[in-house]
Amino acid sequence: MSHSTEMPPVRANKASDLPFDFDTALSLETDKPDSPVSTLFTHQTTSTTTTSTSSSAGSSLAGRRTHSGEILSHPFPKPGHRRTGSGSLFFSNTNTTSVGTHTNSTASSPVTNLLPAGNICPSGKIAKPSTIHKTVKHRSDVLGSGTGNYGHGSIVRGGAATGTGTSSEDLSSVKRAMGSMDLEEVKRIGNELYKRGQLLEALRVYDRAVGMQPDNPVCRSNKAAALIGLRRFGEAVRECEEAVRLDPGFSRAHQRLASLFLRLGVVENSKKHLLLASSQPDLIELHKLQTLEKHLTRCADARRSGDWKSVLRETDSAITAGAESSPLIFASKAEAYLRLYQIDDADLAICDACKLDSSFSFSVDTKFFGFLGNSYIHYVHALVEMTRGRFESAVGAAERARKIDPANSELNSFTVTIKSVARARSLGNELFNSGKFLEASLAYGEGLRHDPSNPVLYCNRAACRYKLGQWEKSIEDCNEALRIQPNYTKALLRRAASYAKIERWAESVKDYEALRKELPGDTEVAEALFHAQVALKSSRGEEVSNMKFGGEVEPISGLNQFHTAISLPGVSVVHFMAPLNPHCSQMSPFLDALCARYPSVNFLKVDVNENPAVAKAENVRMVPTFKIYKNGNRVKEMVCPSQQLLEYSVRHYGF
């Protein structure tokens, strides 16, 4: 927690020495209007996506051509994947890295001698991985003859997907290709680099081939294969679409487009190209598309009824079914997380969606939940930005959504609402900073009229009401903010201070204790907690004169002093030490640091040489020994602990 003004540390102040001002405990940072969290909900009308295919598309395109220099590959690699909780899945046949609730694939790094199931043999049948090397004959002029699903970002052999560790031989090949005027030689070099997994180098060579003959569909398709391996799907789609424009009967390009659109979650386009690729499309791949379509339909139904847990489940299933790079589906996950008040997960999911979206723009003819093109992604992005308190960014995202889908009445209404909320928050902040707390409170209230589920506006109005002495109303606003955003630190801090103002000490202590766990190094929170604890004990008629806040490690000089010190209310940490012991010498400065870090804990030290009676009474046989007491009772004993264990124990028993 950052503060604009720092309070000087309090040293060894007894509870009875000075009155504590809970207004002072609210730092300038806390007193400012807030901007981290809000949630904007609007009524939505949705429509599900339906798919249709031409019954004559397959029969009219039988006997597809194979071009010279073409990369041959199975259009639908079977990606291996792992699931982590309910998080989003990116998967490839190589590595998977889990982050939080999201599992993000690495950049399709090739793995040597790793073969996926379902490779295509020369016979056209599916071969088992164990028989691949026995049934496939390698050719130097054709890639992907059944050994690695080339061209789909899954598995390529040797090298590195990003081109790192490029050998001198590979660099020489690239140089030779760049200087060659023979298109067939350039394609061959590109294919060899691709087979070795040098995707960036292969892409450079394929670019050279495209430059030499822009209207060559094979060059376009091979370039798309390298782009897919680098997970640059948007560019790959464009290259494949150009290839089929140049040659509408180019089977391999249609297969790649079918695979790409499956990954991107566009079922209708994927099915169209799968049927165009062959007069007898693979029934397994058609089943995949039907499975994906089923989950997307269920997702739309669940969204329409507000069943957000089901939306999460169906989006996970859609990703597992193959749509592992769909920005629309990740945006749907983000919206579901947001509606369930899982704001961190929503932020991660929309970030994933925006990263995927940056390389691919959906056609304005594509509809998702009734939104055209990419407008749904921008709509959810605006919701998340508003939730995070990034109001200007939220307005920008809403405007981008409306620009893509200007006829969408829901988006038009949403943009007007989001602008109204942003204006109300901006006006409220300006009035608050001018000391006009009543007017600021009314401005924030106007924002809440447009968005009654915005925790930032509730928290900011609570700050106004605190300044106006309306502590009960301040608590009510903080309660609303915390209902929407349970881990909202500023709302909790304002509620704790408001409880203190109306002397509801038990509630104030509870909130400050929660804040100490979240902000263990914040001395102002520690001091506020201490004084709330003192006030609570005093209200119960308990002795508080010996309670103190802060100070240095207190040396113990006798058994009576020791018993008195550990019997004080709260937590006491005792360091049994010997000055000449090297371990004790190492721990002593750390104990001083803990004393400053946890001022509400009472730190003591006992020199066992000067106070053998204390050491004997406590049965101390080795140094350094640490004992923790709570309200006079020993709760923990550690001999030669690590610094990490000692601090963990202090935090555990101190809070």
mmCIF file of all heavy atoms in Angstrom, residues 532-556:
data_model
loop_
_atom_site.group_PDB
_atom_site.id
_atom_site.type_symbol
_atom_site.label_atom_id
_atom_site.label_comp_id
_atom_site.label_asym_id
_atom_site.label_seq_id
_atom_site.Cartn_x
_atom_site.Cartn_y
_atom_site.Cartn_z
ATOM 1 N N ALA A 532 -7.105 0.347 18.169
ATOM 2 C CA ALA A 532 -8.449 -0.236 18.209
ATOM 3 C C ALA A 532 -8.500 -1.369 19.237
ATOM 4 O O ALA A 532 -9.495 -1.527 19.958
ATOM 5 C CB ALA A 532 -8.835 -0.741 16.828
ATOM 6 N N GLN A 533 -7.420 -2.169 19.309
ATOM 7 C CA GLN A 533 -7.351 -3.239 20.310
ATOM 8 C C GLN A 533 -7.346 -2.669 21.725
ATOM 9 O O GLN A 533 -8.012 -3.191 22.631
ATOM 10 C CB GLN A 533 -6.104 -4.093 20.080
ATOM 11 C CG GLN A 533 -6.161 -4.954 18.835
ATOM 12 C CD GLN A 533 -4.837 -5.624 18.528
ATOM 13 O OE1 GLN A 533 -3.773 -5.085 18.849
ATOM 14 N NE2 GLN A 533 -4.884 -6.790 17.890
ATOM 15 N N VAL A 534 -6.606 -1.579 21.914
ATOM 16 C CA VAL A 534 -6.571 -0.925 23.228
ATOM 17 C C VAL A 534 -7.960 -0.434 23.603
ATOM 18 O O VAL A 534 -8.435 -0.635 24.736
ATOM 19 C CB VAL A 534 -5.568 0.244 23.220
ATOM 20 C CG1 VAL A 534 -5.712 1.083 24.496
ATOM 21 C CG2 VAL A 534 -4.141 -0.275 23.097
ATOM 22 N N ALA A 535 -8.635 0.223 22.643
ATOM 23 C CA ALA A 535 -9.970 0.758 22.922
ATOM 24 C C ALA A 535 -10.957 -0.370 23.226
ATOM 25 O O ALA A 535 -11.823 -0.232 24.108
ATOM 26 C CB ALA A 535 -10.448 1.578 21.730
ATOM 27 N N LEU A 536 -10.841 -1.488 22.499
ATOM 28 C CA LEU A 536 -11.732 -2.619 22.739
ATOM 29 C C LEU A 536 -11.526 -3.184 24.141
ATOM 30 O O LEU A 536 -12.498 -3.437 24.877
ATOM 31 C CB LEU A 536 -11.478 -3.710 21.690
ATOM 32 C CG LEU A 536 -12.288 -4.997 21.853
ATOM 33 C CD1 LEU A 536 -13.782 -4.716 21.771
ATOM 34 C CD2 LEU A 536 -11.878 -6.028 20.800
ATOM 35 N N LYS A 537 -10.260 -3.378 24.542
ATOM 36 C CA LYS A 537 -9.985 -3.911 25.881
ATOM 37 C C LYS A 537 -10.449 -2.939 26.955
ATOM 38 O O LYS A 537 -10.986 -3.332 27.989
ATOM 39 C CB LYS A 537 -8.490 -4.195 26.022
ATOM 40 C CG LYS A 537 -8.015 -5.381 25.191
ATOM 41 C CD LYS A 537 -6.520 -5.616 25.368
ATOM 42 C CE LYS A 537 -6.058 -6.814 24.552
ATOM 43 N NZ LYS A 537 -6.668 -8.069 25.014
ATOM 44 N N SER A 538 -10.219 -1.644 26.699
ATOM 45 C CA SER A 538 -10.638 -0.639 27.672
ATOM 46 C C SER A 538 -12.156 -0.629 27.834
ATOM 47 O O SER A 538 -12.673 -0.487 28.951
ATOM 48 C CB SER A 538 -10.144 0.739 27.230
ATOM 49 O OG SER A 538 -10.529 1.739 28.156
ATOM 50 N N SER A 539 -12.883 -0.796 26.711
ATOM 51 C CA SER A 539 -14.349 -0.808 26.775
ATOM 52 C C SER A 539 -14.864 -2.010 27.559
ATOM 53 O O SER A 539 -15.974 -1.989 28.074
ATOM 54 C CB SER A 539 -14.936 -0.804 25.365
ATOM 55 O OG SER A 539 -14.675 -2.029 24.702
ATOM 56 N N ARG A 540 -14.042 -3.049 27.647
ATOM 57 C CA ARG A 540 -14.420 -4.247 28.399
ATOM 58 C C ARG A 540 -13.922 -4.222 29.841
ATOM 59 O O ARG A 540 -14.092 -5.177 30.592
ATOM 60 C CB ARG A 540 -13.859 -5.487 27.705
ATOM 61 C CG ARG A 540 -14.473 -5.755 26.333
ATOM 62 C CD ARG A 540 -13.741 -6.873 25.622
ATOM 63 N NE ARG A 540 -14.367 -7.224 24.344
ATOM 64 C CZ ARG A 540 -13.835 -8.056 23.454
ATOM 65 N NH1 ARG A 540 -12.656 -8.632 23.712
ATOM 66 N NH2 ARG A 540 -14.469 -8.325 22.334
ATOM 67 N N GLY A 541 -13.254 -3.107 30.195
ATOM 68 C CA GLY A 541 -12.760 -2.974 31.559
ATOM 69 C C GLY A 541 -11.450 -3.693 31.817
ATOM 70 O O GLY A 541 -11.063 -3.890 32.974
ATOM 71 N N GLU A 542 -10.731 -4.088 30.763
ATOM 72 C CA GLU A 542 -9.471 -4.794 30.928
ATOM 73 C C GLU A 542 -8.325 -3.808 31.114
ATOM 74 O O GLU A 542 -8.403 -2.644 30.708
ATOM 75 C CB GLU A 542 -9.208 -5.685 29.709
ATOM 76 C CG GLU A 542 -10.259 -6.758 29.490
ATOM 77 C CD GLU A 542 -10.002 -7.576 28.241
ATOM 78 O OE1 GLU A 542 -8.841 -7.591 27.772
ATOM 79 O OE2 GLU A 542 -10.951 -8.201 27.721
ATOM 80 N N GLU A 543 -7.218 -4.281 31.713
ATOM 81 C CA GLU A 543 -6.040 -3.459 31.972
ATOM 82 C C GLU A 543 -5.298 -3.193 30.672
ATOM 83 O O GLU A 543 -4.997 -4.117 29.904
ATOM 84 C CB GLU A 543 -5.109 -4.160 32.961
ATOM 85 C CG GLU A 543 -3.825 -3.405 33.259
ATOM 86 C CD GLU A 543 -4.078 -2.032 33.860
ATOM 87 O OE1 GLU A 543 -4.952 -1.929 34.746
ATOM 88 O OE2 GLU A 543 -3.409 -1.074 33.441
ATOM 89 N N VAL A 544 -5.000 -1.929 30.386
ATOM 90 C CA VAL A 544 -4.315 -1.574 29.138
ATOM 91 C C VAL A 544 -3.092 -0.694 29.373
ATOM 92 O O VAL A 544 -2.396 -0.346 28.425
ATOM 93 C CB VAL A 544 -5.279 -0.838 28.182
ATOM 94 C CG1 VAL A 544 -6.434 -1.728 27.769
ATOM 95 C CG2 VAL A 544 -5.798 0.459 28.798
ATOM 96 N N SER A 545 -2.803 -0.358 30.619
ATOM 97 C CA SER A 545 -1.724 0.600 30.879
ATOM 98 C C SER A 545 -0.357 0.081 30.447
ATOM 99 O O SER A 545 0.539 0.865 30.118
ATOM 100 C CB SER A 545 -1.695 0.965 32.366
ATOM 101 O OG SER A 545 -1.478 -0.198 33.151
ATOM 102 N N ASN A 546 -0.174 -1.240 30.464
ATOM 103 C CA ASN A 546 1.123 -1.793 30.099
ATOM 104 C C ASN A 546 1.250 -2.117 28.611
ATOM 105 O O ASN A 546 2.308 -2.559 28.162
ATOM 106 C CB ASN A 546 1.396 -3.074 30.905
ATOM 107 C CG ASN A 546 1.644 -2.770 32.368
ATOM 108 O OD1 ASN A 546 2.213 -1.738 32.698
ATOM 109 N ND2 ASN A 546 1.188 -3.657 33.246
ATOM 110 N N MET A 547 0.171 -1.938 27.841
ATOM 111 C CA MET A 547 0.248 -2.210 26.407
ATOM 112 C C MET A 547 1.025 -1.101 25.714
ATOM 113 O O MET A 547 0.913 0.073 26.072
ATOM 114 C CB MET A 547 -1.155 -2.320 25.798
ATOM 115 C CG MET A 547 -1.937 -3.531 26.274
ATOM 116 S SD MET A 547 -3.597 -3.628 25.528
ATOM 117 C CE MET A 547 -3.183 -3.958 23.819
ATOM 118 N N LYS A 548 1.849 -1.469 24.753
ATOM 119 C CA LYS A 548 2.640 -0.471 24.038
ATOM 120 C C LYS A 548 2.720 -0.834 22.566
ATOM 121 O O LYS A 548 2.501 -1.974 22.165
ATOM 122 C CB LYS A 548 4.042 -0.371 24.620
ATOM 123 C CG LYS A 548 4.874 -1.642 24.481
ATOM 124 C CD LYS A 548 6.257 -1.459 25.070
ATOM 125 C CE LYS A 548 7.104 -2.734 24.878
ATOM 126 N NZ LYS A 548 8.456 -2.572 25.410
ATOM 127 N N PHE A 549 3.034 0.149 21.768
ATOM 128 C CA PHE A 549 3.131 -0.032 20.319
ATOM 129 C C PHE A 549 4.547 0.316 19.873
ATOM 130 O O PHE A 549 5.064 1.387 20.166
ATOM 131 C CB PHE A 549 2.134 0.879 19.598
ATOM 132 C CG PHE A 549 2.249 0.829 18.099
ATOM 133 C CD1 PHE A 549 1.680 -0.208 17.389
ATOM 134 C CD2 PHE A 549 2.941 1.810 17.402
ATOM 135 C CE1 PHE A 549 1.778 -0.261 16.014
ATOM 136 C CE2 PHE A 549 3.044 1.764 16.034
ATOM 137 C CZ PHE A 549 2.467 0.733 15.329
ATOM 138 N N GLY A 550 5.162 -0.574 19.139
ATOM 139 C CA GLY A 550 6.476 -0.290 18.573
ATOM 140 C C GLY A 550 7.584 -0.384 19.599
ATOM 141 O O GLY A 550 7.458 -0.997 20.655
ATOM 142 N N GLY A 551 8.722 0.197 19.273
ATOM 143 C CA GLY A 551 9.873 0.178 20.157
ATOM 144 C C GLY A 551 10.928 -0.790 19.681
ATOM 145 O O GLY A 551 10.849 -1.351 18.589
ATOM 146 N N GLU A 552 11.935 -1.010 20.519
ATOM 147 C CA GLU A 552 13.035 -1.897 20.185
ATOM 148 C C GLU A 552 12.872 -3.217 20.920
ATOM 149 O O GLU A 552 11.993 -3.377 21.768
ATOM 150 C CB GLU A 552 14.355 -1.228 20.574
ATOM 151 C CG GLU A 552 14.609 0.092 19.839
ATOM 152 C CD GLU A 552 15.886 0.764 20.308
ATOM 153 O OE1 GLU A 552 16.473 0.266 21.292
ATOM 154 O OE2 GLU A 552 16.283 1.766 19.698
ATOM 155 N N VAL A 553 13.754 -4.164 20.578
ATOM 156 C CA VAL A 553 13.750 -5.447 21.276
ATOM 157 C C VAL A 553 14.114 -5.190 22.738
ATOM 158 O O VAL A 553 15.144 -4.582 23.046
ATOM 159 C CB VAL A 553 14.755 -6.420 20.635
ATOM 160 C CG1 VAL A 553 14.762 -7.741 21.393
ATOM 161 C CG2 VAL A 553 14.414 -6.649 19.165
ATOM 162 N N GLU A 554 13.253 -5.638 23.634
ATOM 163 C CA GLU A 554 13.433 -5.349 25.063
ATOM 164 C C GLU A 554 14.305 -6.419 25.721
ATOM 165 O O GLU A 554 13.983 -7.605 25.670
ATOM 166 C CB GLU A 554 12.070 -5.311 25.753
ATOM 167 C CG GLU A 554 12.154 -5.032 27.249
ATOM 168 C CD GLU A 554 10.799 -5.066 27.919
ATOM 169 O OE1 GLU A 554 9.775 -5.162 27.193
ATOM 170 O OE2 GLU A 554 10.743 -5.006 29.163
ATOM 171 N N PRO A 555 15.432 -6.018 26.339
ATOM 172 C CA PRO A 555 16.268 -7.002 27.044
ATOM 173 C C PRO A 555 15.630 -7.401 28.377
ATOM 174 O O PRO A 555 15.049 -6.573 29.079
ATOM 175 C CB PRO A 555 17.588 -6.267 27.255
ATOM 176 C CG PRO A 555 17.231 -4.816 27.236
ATOM 177 C CD PRO A 555 16.036 -4.674 26.364
ATOM 178 N N ILE A 556 15.728 -8.666 28.725
ATOM 179 C CA ILE A 556 15.189 -9.190 29.981
ATOM 180 C C ILE A 556 16.345 -9.356 30.975
ATOM 181 O O ILE A 556 17.379 -9.946 30.648
ATOM 182 C CB ILE A 556 14.483 -10.535 29.748
ATOM 183 C CG1 ILE A 556 13.273 -10.344 28.822
ATOM 184 C CG2 ILE A 556 14.051 -11.164 31.072
ATOM 185 C CD1 ILE A 556 12.193 -9.449 29.361
#
